[in-house]
PDB file of all heavy atoms in Angstrom:
ATOM      1  N   ALA C  71      32.543 147.044  27.728  1.00 98.00           N
ATOM      2  CA  ALA C  71      33.581 146.844  26.714  1.00 98.00           C
ATOM      3  C   ALA C  71      34.747 147.797  26.941  1.00 98.00           C
ATOM      4  O   ALA C  71      34.620 148.815  27.628  1.00 98.00           O
ATOM      5  CB  ALA C  71      32.997 147.069  25.315  1.00 98.00           C
ATOM      6  N   ARG C  72      35.874 147.454  26.362  1.00 98.00           N
ATOM      7  CA  ARG C  72      37.047 148.327  26.451  1.00 98.00           C
ATOM      8  C   ARG C  72      36.733 149.661  25.775  1.00 98.00           C
ATOM      9  O   ARG C  72      36.155 149.700  24.691  1.00 98.00           O
ATOM     10  CB  ARG C  72      38.244 147.671  25.759  1.00 98.00           C
ATOM     11  CG  ARG C  72      39.502 148.539  25.781  1.00 98.00           C
ATOM     12  CD  ARG C  72      40.610 147.957  24.947  1.00 98.00           C
ATOM     13  NE  ARG C  72      41.748 148.866  24.868  1.00 98.00           N
ATOM     14  CZ  ARG C  72      42.768 148.726  24.040  1.00 98.00           C
ATOM     15  NH1 ARG C  72      42.801 147.704  23.198  1.00 98.00           N
ATOM     16  NH2 ARG C  72      43.748 149.608  24.030  1.00 98.00           N
ATOM     17  N   ASP C  73      37.105 150.739  26.433  1.00 98.00           N
ATOM     18  CA  ASP C  73      36.860 152.079  25.907  1.00 98.00           C
ATOM     19  C   ASP C  73      38.041 152.510  25.037  1.00 98.00           C
ATOM     20  O   ASP C  73      39.111 152.835  25.548  1.00 98.00           O
ATOM     21  CB  ASP C  73      36.668 153.058  27.069  1.00 98.00           C
ATOM     22  CG  ASP C  73      36.270 154.450  26.605  1.00 98.00           C
ATOM     23  OD1 ASP C  73      36.214 154.691  25.376  1.00 98.00           O
ATOM     24  OD2 ASP C  73      36.007 155.301  27.473  1.00 98.00           O
ATOM     25  N   ARG C  74      37.828 152.520  23.724  1.00 98.00           N
ATOM     26  CA  ARG C  74      38.882 152.921  22.798  1.00 98.00           C
ATOM     27  C   ARG C  74      38.791 154.412  22.433  1.00 98.00           C
ATOM     28  O   ARG C  74      39.585 154.912  21.640  1.00 98.00           O
ATOM     29  CB  ARG C  74      38.805 152.064  21.524  1.00 98.00           C
ATOM     30  CG  ARG C  74      39.000 150.569  21.803  1.00 98.00           C
ATOM     31  CD  ARG C  74      38.882 149.743  20.529  1.00 98.00           C
ATOM     32  NE  ARG C  74      39.881 150.126  19.557  1.00 98.00           N
ATOM     33  CZ  ARG C  74      41.127 149.647  19.519  1.00 98.00           C
ATOM     34  NH1 ARG C  74      41.523 148.760  20.417  1.00 98.00           N
ATOM     35  NH2 ARG C  74      41.982 150.038  18.591  1.00 98.00           N
ATOM     36  N   GLY C  75      37.810 155.082  23.018  1.00 98.00           N
ATOM     37  CA  GLY C  75      37.730 156.524  22.880  1.00 98.00           C
ATOM     38  C   GLY C  75      37.205 157.014  21.535  1.00 98.00           C
ATOM     39  O   GLY C  75      36.593 156.284  20.764  1.00 98.00           O
ATOM     40  N   ILE C  76      37.488 158.274  21.269  1.00 98.00           N
ATOM     41  CA  ILE C  76      37.057 158.929  20.039  1.00 98.00           C
ATOM     42  C   ILE C  76      38.283 159.223  19.189  1.00 98.00           C
ATOM     43  O   ILE C  76      39.310 159.661  19.706  1.00 98.00           O
ATOM     44  CB  ILE C  76      36.318 160.244  20.351  1.00 98.00           C
ATOM     45  CG1 ILE C  76      35.088 159.962  21.214  1.00 98.00           C
ATOM     46  CG2 ILE C  76      35.913 160.968  19.069  1.00 98.00           C
ATOM     47  CD1 ILE C  76      34.408 161.207  21.731  1.00 98.00           C
ATOM     48  N   ARG C  77      38.170 158.975  17.904  1.00 97.00           N
ATOM     49  CA  ARG C  77      39.284 159.291  17.019  1.00 97.00           C
ATOM     50  C   ARG C  77      38.758 159.937  15.739  1.00 97.00           C
ATOM     51  O   ARG C  77      37.585 159.857  15.416  1.00 97.00           O
ATOM     52  CB  ARG C  77      40.118 158.061  16.701  1.00 97.00           C
ATOM     53  CG  ARG C  77      39.426 156.973  15.897  1.00 97.00           C
ATOM     54  CD  ARG C  77      40.365 155.787  15.694  1.00 97.00           C
ATOM     55  NE  ARG C  77      39.750 154.696  14.976  1.00 97.00           N
ATOM     56  CZ  ARG C  77      39.736 154.593  13.644  1.00 97.00           C
ATOM     57  NH1 ARG C  77      40.280 155.555  12.895  1.00 97.00           N
ATOM     58  NH2 ARG C  77      39.172 153.552  13.057  1.00 97.00           N
ATOM     59  N   TYR C  78      39.692 160.585  15.052  1.00 98.00           N
ATOM     60  CA  TYR C  78      39.350 161.285  13.822  1.00 98.00           C
ATOM     61  C   TYR C  78      39.799 160.516  12.593  1.00 98.00           C
ATOM     62  O   TYR C  78      40.817 159.808  12.618  1.00 98.00           O
ATOM     63  CB  TYR C  78      40.001 162.668  13.810  1.00 98.00           C
ATOM     64  CG  TYR C  78      39.274 163.697  14.642  1.00 98.00           C
ATOM     65  CD1 TYR C  78      39.766 164.075  15.896  1.00 98.00           C
ATOM     66  CD2 TYR C  78      38.113 164.296  14.171  1.00 98.00           C
ATOM     67  CE1 TYR C  78      39.099 165.026  16.657  1.00 98.00           C
ATOM     68  CE2 TYR C  78      37.448 165.256  14.924  1.00 98.00           C
ATOM     69  CZ  TYR C  78      37.944 165.613  16.158  1.00 98.00           C
ATOM     70  OH  TYR C  78      37.284 166.555  16.903  1.00 98.00           O
ATOM     71  N   GLN C  79      39.012 160.659  11.540  1.00 97.00           N
ATOM     72  CA  GLN C  79      39.299 159.999  10.266  1.00 97.00           C
ATOM     73  C   GLN C  79      38.547 160.772   9.181  1.00 97.00           C
ATOM     74  O   GLN C  79      37.543 161.433   9.454  1.00 97.00           O
ATOM     75  CB  GLN C  79      38.806 158.547  10.323  1.00 97.00           C
ATOM     76  CG  GLN C  79      39.097 157.709   9.112  1.00 97.00           C
ATOM     77  CD  GLN C  79      38.614 156.276   9.307  1.00 97.00           C
ATOM     78  OE1 GLN C  79      38.820 155.682  10.385  1.00 97.00           O
ATOM     79  NE2 GLN C  79      37.951 155.718   8.315  1.00 97.00           N
ATOM     80  N   ARG C  80      39.012 160.716   7.963  1.00 98.00           N
ATOM     81  CA  ARG C  80      38.298 161.364   6.868  1.00 98.00           C
ATOM     82  C   ARG C  80      37.075 160.520   6.523  1.00 98.00           C
ATOM     83  O   ARG C  80      37.190 159.370   6.108  1.00 98.00           O
ATOM     84  CB  ARG C  80      39.200 161.524   5.646  1.00 98.00           C
ATOM     85  CG  ARG C  80      38.555 162.314   4.492  1.00 98.00           C
ATOM     86  CD  ARG C  80      39.575 162.553   3.382  1.00 98.00           C
ATOM     87  NE  ARG C  80      38.988 163.134   2.195  1.00 98.00           N
ATOM     88  CZ  ARG C  80      38.746 164.430   2.030  1.00 98.00           C
ATOM     89  NH1 ARG C  80      39.050 165.280   2.995  1.00 98.00           N
ATOM     90  NH2 ARG C  80      38.223 164.886   0.905  1.00 98.00           N
ATOM     91  N   LEU C  81      35.883 161.104   6.683  1.00 98.00           N
ATOM     92  CA  LEU C  81      34.641 160.370   6.504  1.00 98.00           C
ATOM     93  C   LEU C  81      33.700 161.102   5.549  1.00 98.00           C
ATOM     94  O   LEU C  81      33.824 162.314   5.334  1.00 98.00           O
ATOM     95  CB  LEU C  81      33.925 160.201   7.847  1.00 98.00           C
ATOM     96  CG  LEU C  81      34.668 159.436   8.953  1.00 98.00           C
ATOM     97  CD1 LEU C  81      33.881 159.544  10.249  1.00 98.00           C
ATOM     98  CD2 LEU C  81      34.867 157.983   8.564  1.00 98.00           C
ATOM     99  N   TYR C  82      32.740 160.377   5.042  1.00 98.00           N
ATOM    100  CA  TYR C  82      31.730 160.974   4.175  1.00 98.00           C
ATOM    101  C   TYR C  82      30.832 161.952   4.908  1.00 98.00           C
ATOM    102  O   TYR C  82      30.160 162.790   4.292  1.00 98.00           O
ATOM    103  CB  TYR C  82      30.875 159.883   3.516  1.00 98.00           C
ATOM    104  CG  TYR C  82      29.972 159.115   4.457  1.00 98.00           C
ATOM    105  CD1 TYR C  82      28.633 159.465   4.618  1.00 98.00           C
ATOM    106  CD2 TYR C  82      30.454 158.032   5.187  1.00 98.00           C
ATOM    107  CE1 TYR C  82      27.798 158.765   5.480  1.00 98.00           C
ATOM    108  CE2 TYR C  82      29.630 157.329   6.045  1.00 98.00           C
ATOM    109  CZ  TYR C  82      28.309 157.691   6.185  1.00 98.00           C
ATOM    110  OH  TYR C  82      27.488 156.995   7.047  1.00 98.00           O
ATOM    111  N   THR C  83      30.820 161.890   6.232  1.00 98.00           N
ATOM    112  CA  THR C  83      29.966 162.788   7.013  1.00 98.00           C
ATOM    113  C   THR C  83      30.437 164.234   6.929  1.00 98.00           C
ATOM    114  O   THR C  83      29.738 165.139   7.419  1.00 98.00           O
ATOM    115  CB  THR C  83      29.929 162.349   8.489  1.00 98.00           C
ATOM    116  OG1 THR C  83      31.268 162.202   8.977  1.00 98.00           O
ATOM    117  CG2 THR C  83      29.195 161.019   8.632  1.00 98.00           C
ATOM    118  N   ARG C  84      31.572 164.471   6.288  1.00 98.00           N
ATOM    119  CA  ARG C  84      32.018 165.852   6.089  1.00 98.00           C
ATOM    120  C   ARG C  84      31.087 166.616   5.152  1.00 98.00           C
ATOM    121  O   ARG C  84      31.139 167.850   5.080  1.00 98.00           O
ATOM    122  CB  ARG C  84      33.447 165.879   5.541  1.00 98.00           C
ATOM    123  CG  ARG C  84      33.616 165.304   4.142  1.00 98.00           C
ATOM    124  CD  ARG C  84      35.098 165.259   3.764  1.00 98.00           C
ATOM    125  NE  ARG C  84      35.331 164.705   2.428  1.00 98.00           N
ATOM    126  CZ  ARG C  84      35.423 163.417   2.170  1.00 98.00           C
ATOM    127  NH1 ARG C  84      35.286 162.530   3.155  1.00 98.00           N
ATOM    128  NH2 ARG C  84      35.657 162.978   0.945  1.00 98.00           N
ATOM    129  N   TYR C  85      30.224 165.890   4.459  1.00 98.00           N
ATOM    130  CA  TYR C  85      29.331 166.523   3.492  1.00 98.00           C
ATOM    131  C   TYR C  85      27.983 166.931   4.079  1.00 98.00           C
ATOM    132  O   TYR C  85      27.067 167.274   3.349  1.00 98.00           O
ATOM    133  CB  TYR C  85      29.099 165.583   2.305  1.00 98.00           C
ATOM    134  CG  TYR C  85      30.354 165.348   1.479  1.00 98.00           C
ATOM    135  CD1 TYR C  85      30.943 164.087   1.426  1.00 98.00           C
ATOM    136  CD2 TYR C  85      30.945 166.385   0.764  1.00 98.00           C
ATOM    137  CE1 TYR C  85      32.094 163.870   0.673  1.00 98.00           C
ATOM    138  CE2 TYR C  85      32.101 166.176   0.013  1.00 98.00           C
ATOM    139  CZ  TYR C  85      32.666 164.921  -0.023  1.00 98.00           C
ATOM    140  OH  TYR C  85      33.806 164.708  -0.768  1.00 98.00           O
ATOM    141  N   THR C  86      27.868 166.871   5.391  1.00 98.00           N
ATOM    142  CA  THR C  86      26.629 167.328   6.027  1.00 98.00           C
ATOM    143  C   THR C  86      26.951 168.188   7.236  1.00 98.00           C
ATOM    144  O   THR C  86      27.988 168.004   7.887  1.00 98.00           O
ATOM    145  CB  THR C  86      25.735 166.146   6.462  1.00 98.00           C
ATOM    146  OG1 THR C  86      24.512 166.653   7.005  1.00 98.00           O
ATOM    147  CG2 THR C  86      26.420 165.289   7.514  1.00 98.00           C
ATOM    148  N   ALA C  87      26.045 169.123   7.528  1.00 97.00           N
ATOM    149  CA  ALA C  87      26.207 169.959   8.713  1.00 97.00           C
ATOM    150  C   ALA C  87      25.553 169.331   9.938  1.00 97.00           C
ATOM    151  O   ALA C  87      25.719 169.814  11.055  1.00 97.00           O
ATOM    152  CB  ALA C  87      25.604 171.334   8.458  1.00 97.00           C
ATOM    153  N   VAL C  88      24.818 168.239   9.734  1.00 98.00           N
ATOM    154  CA  VAL C  88      24.159 167.553  10.848  1.00 98.00           C
ATOM    155  C   VAL C  88      25.226 166.948  11.764  1.00 98.00           C
ATOM    156  O   VAL C  88      26.163 166.305  11.274  1.00 98.00           O
ATOM    157  CB  VAL C  88      23.223 166.432  10.320  1.00 98.00           C
ATOM    158  CG1 VAL C  88      22.603 165.668  11.489  1.00 98.00           C
ATOM    159  CG2 VAL C  88      22.138 167.021   9.436  1.00 98.00           C
ATOM    160  N   PRO C  89      25.147 167.132  13.064  1.00 98.00           N
ATOM    161  CA  PRO C  89      26.080 166.473  13.978  1.00 98.00           C
ATOM    162  C   PRO C  89      26.102 164.970  13.701  1.00 98.00           C
ATOM    163  O   PRO C  89      25.045 164.327  13.699  1.00 98.00           O
ATOM    164  CB  PRO C  89      25.518 166.797  15.367  1.00 98.00           C
ATOM    165  CG  PRO C  89      24.802 168.094  15.168  1.00 98.00           C
ATOM    166  CD  PRO C  89      24.187 167.991  13.796  1.00 98.00           C
ATOM    167  N   ALA C  90      27.280 164.426  13.442  1.00 98.00           N
ATOM    168  CA  ALA C  90      27.352 163.036  12.970  1.00 98.00           C
ATOM    169  C   ALA C  90      28.544 162.300  13.559  1.00 98.00           C
ATOM    170  O   ALA C  90      29.613 162.884  13.780  1.00 98.00           O
ATOM    171  CB  ALA C  90      27.433 163.019  11.446  1.00 98.00           C
ATOM    172  N   ALA C  91      28.345 161.000  13.797  1.00 98.00           N
ATOM    173  CA  ALA C  91      29.413 160.141  14.313  1.00 98.00           C
ATOM    174  C   ALA C  91      29.191 158.707  13.868  1.00 98.00           C
ATOM    175  O   ALA C  91      28.048 158.282  13.671  1.00 98.00           O
ATOM    176  CB  ALA C  91      29.460 160.212  15.839  1.00 98.00           C
ATOM    177  N   LEU C  92      30.283 157.980  13.685  1.00 98.00           N
ATOM    178  CA  LEU C  92      30.237 156.550  13.390  1.00 98.00           C
ATOM    179  C   LEU C  92      30.635 155.808  14.661  1.00 98.00           C
ATOM    180  O   LEU C  92      31.695 156.084  15.247  1.00 98.00           O
ATOM    181  CB  LEU C  92      31.197 156.182  12.257  1.00 98.00           C
ATOM    182  CG  LEU C  92      30.668 156.290  10.822  1.00 98.00           C
ATOM    183  CD1 LEU C  92      30.364 157.748  10.483  1.00 98.00           C
ATOM    184  CD2 LEU C  92      31.692 155.728   9.841  1.00 98.00           C
ATOM    185  N   VAL C  93      29.804 154.872  15.078  1.00 98.00           N
ATOM    186  CA  VAL C  93      30.079 154.114  16.296  1.00 98.00           C
ATOM    187  C   VAL C  93      30.485 152.693  15.923  1.00 98.00           C
ATOM    188  O   VAL C  93      29.700 151.933  15.360  1.00 98.00           O
ATOM    189  CB  VAL C  93      28.851 154.078  17.225  1.00 98.00           C
ATOM    190  CG1 VAL C  93      29.182 153.313  18.497  1.00 98.00           C
ATOM    191  CG2 VAL C  93      28.395 155.489  17.558  1.00 98.00           C
ATOM    192  N   GLU C  94      31.730 152.357  16.213  1.00 98.00           N
ATOM    193  CA  GLU C  94      32.248 151.005  15.991  1.00 98.00           C
ATOM    194  C   GLU C  94      31.994 150.223  17.273  1.00 98.00           C
ATOM    195  O   GLU C  94      32.689 150.400  18.275  1.00 98.00           O
ATOM    196  CB  GLU C  94      33.736 151.047  15.663  1.00 98.00           C
ATOM    197  CG  GLU C  94      34.090 151.824  14.403  1.00 98.00           C
ATOM    198  CD  GLU C  94      33.948 150.989  13.131  1.00 98.00           C
ATOM    199  OE1 GLU C  94      33.536 149.812  13.238  1.00 98.00           O
ATOM    200  OE2 GLU C  94      34.273 151.505  12.046  1.00 98.00           O
ATOM    201  N   VAL C  95      30.985 149.353  17.248  1.00 98.00           N
ATOM    202  CA  VAL C  95      30.475 148.756  18.482  1.00 98.00           C
ATOM    203  C   VAL C  95      31.272 147.552  18.987  1.00 98.00           C
ATOM    204  O   VAL C  95      30.979 147.032  20.065  1.00 98.00           O
ATOM    205  CB  VAL C  95      29.000 148.353  18.309  1.00 98.00           C
ATOM    206  CG1 VAL C  95      28.139 149.584  18.045  1.00 98.00           C
ATOM    207  CG2 VAL C  95      28.823 147.338  17.177  1.00 98.00           C
ATOM    208  N   GLY C  96      32.257 147.097  18.228  1.00 98.00           N
ATOM    209  CA  GLY C  96      33.055 145.961  18.655  1.00 98.00           C
ATOM    210  C   GLY C  96      33.770 145.331  17.477  1.00 98.00           C
ATOM    211  O   GLY C  96      33.527 145.697  16.319  1.00 98.00           O
ATOM    212  N   PHE C  97      34.652 144.364  17.767  1.00 98.00           N
ATOM    213  CA  PHE C  97      35.471 143.734  16.736  1.00 98.00           C
ATOM    214  C   PHE C  97      34.967 142.330  16.402  1.00 98.00           C
ATOM    215  O   PHE C  97      34.975 141.433  17.249  1.00 98.00           O
ATOM    216  CB  PHE C  97      36.924 143.661  17.201  1.00 98.00           C
ATOM    217  CG  PHE C  97      37.651 144.973  17.124  1.00 98.00           C
ATOM    218  CD1 PHE C  97      37.442 145.958  18.085  1.00 98.00           C
ATOM    219  CD2 PHE C  97      38.529 145.243  16.077  1.00 98.00           C
ATOM    220  CE1 PHE C  97      38.102 147.175  18.012  1.00 98.00           C
ATOM    221  CE2 PHE C  97      39.198 146.456  15.998  1.00 98.00           C
ATOM    222  CZ  PHE C  97      38.982 147.427  16.964  1.00 98.00           C
ATOM    223  N   LEU C  98      34.567 142.161  15.156  1.00 98.00           N
ATOM    224  CA  LEU C  98      34.144 140.836  14.698  1.00 98.00           C
ATOM    225  C   LEU C  98      35.312 139.861  14.653  1.00 98.00           C
ATOM    226  O   LEU C  98      35.116 138.649  14.677  1.00 98.00           O
ATOM    227  CB  LEU C  98      33.505 140.942  13.313  1.00 98.00           C
ATOM    228  CG  LEU C  98      32.148 141.652  13.249  1.00 98.00           C
ATOM    229  CD1 LEU C  98      31.688 141.760  11.797  1.00 98.00           C
ATOM    230  CD2 LEU C  98      31.104 140.915  14.071  1.00 98.00           C
TER     231      LEU C  98
END
């Protein structure tokens, strides 16, 4: 798939210290 890289956004994962990421696997 096309590599769209990593980007930043304000997410709910800011409330945990656990290493966290959201993976958008493709476009519906």
Side-chain angles (χ1 to χ4, degrees):
R72 179 187 174 191
D73 186 356
R74 299 179 61 85
I76 300 172
R77 65 182 178 87
Y78 281 103
Q79 183 178 316
R80 185 174 172 83
L81 300 172
Y82 68 96
T83 52
R84 66 186 180 276
Y85 293 114
T86 183
V88 177
L92 273 65
V93 181
E94 299 276 2
V95 297
F97 284 77
L98 291 176

